[in-house]
Amino acid sequence: MKKSIRSTCRFITLLMIMAVCISLASSAVFADQMRLVGSGASFPYPLYSTWFKMFSKANPDILVDYQAKGSGAGIKDFINKTTDFGASDAAMTDEQMAQVEGGVQLLPMTAGTIVLAYNLPGNPKGLKLSRDVYPKIFLGEIKKWNDPLIVKDNPNIKLPDLDITVVRRADSSGTTFVFTQHLSAVSEAWKKGPGHGTTVNWPSSDKIVAAPKNDGVTATIKQTPGAIGYIEYGYAMLAKVNMAELQNKAGKFIMPSEKSGEAALAQATFPPDMRVWLPDPEGADSYPIATYTWMLFRKKNDNPQKAAAMRKMVNYCLTEGQKISGKMGYIPLPPNVVEKVSKAAENIQ
């Protein structure tokens, strides 16, 4: 009996020693772990968060902490050196880049489309909105869903006598930048009125409501009968909200998809600073609102080890990361763009 008790005690002691050793080893691993902090665009957040988890799993010595605050907040954090890197759907302006000591390297990492999601009674699919109509909706000029201009293009949908509630972004947003840039390209009234930017002066109306980030706009649309708002395609897919077919420059009504987004982005040619915009893309098969989205890096970093970790992260996102982009509602970068971005990433030192 005494022998059995002594054996049990030795076994318990051994387990305790092993637990301490494992704890110490784990602490050593976390102590050695490089932490990269980023913030910015909510547009690519579902994809970026997945990429960063995959990257950290493949590279346990590097942890990526990214917060989707919106492009404007991400640029501000990056300029103030609150973060190691930023993310923005609006890239950065020359004035913003001039505030970053040592220079900025902008890297387009993925692309996507901005859709008009809507919530109508009966859940009708395939709503068509022409280039004359949707700018007027966001200007507050078309107020009812059964307005003759909407009805004209939708003879097979019974549109209700229901007020239209426009849902827009409350924060400084790259998604707003891209969307309002497009509206300015297709509507002279919008161009002369609100104009384009990460924030604009929206028309004053109790039927134009604000919500933070892409997920906030998505949730508000889902909760509000008669609502319409602009969100990234991936969010619309995840939330399973209805998306409108928009009339493109060629006059065709196009549904947002990876294929129609790729057709739009095929028109882009990158200049040396890697900033390119497609306010109103050409092409019969092009979806009319498509954009690249950028990560922001300092060319000269205080910590060479962090710079090396960020280059490693970028290369992972350009290779393994691109393989899942399409499944998540984003547009994978073409091989020639991947090559350009990979070369530009070498400037992160």
Side-chain angles (χ1 to χ4, degrees), residues 21 25-26 56 73 80 83 105 107-108 120 128-129 136 139 153 177 187-188 228 250 254 269 292 307 310 323:
C21 290
S26 298
S56 292
N80 292 338
T83 53
Q105 182 59 64
L107 298 179
L120 285 175
K128 292 179 172 64
L129 296 175
K136 290 180 180 178
L139 282 167
D153 293 317
F177 178 92
S187 165
E188 193 66 24
I228 186 170
I254 302 292
T269 301
Y292 285 98
M310 286 188 284
K323 295 176 183 177

Side-chain angles (χ1 to χ4, degrees), residues 325-340:
S325 298
K327 295 177 184 177
M328 295 193 67
Y330 296 85
I331 303 168
L333 299 181
N336 65 316
V337 176
V338 169
E339 185 179 351
K340 290 176 183 178

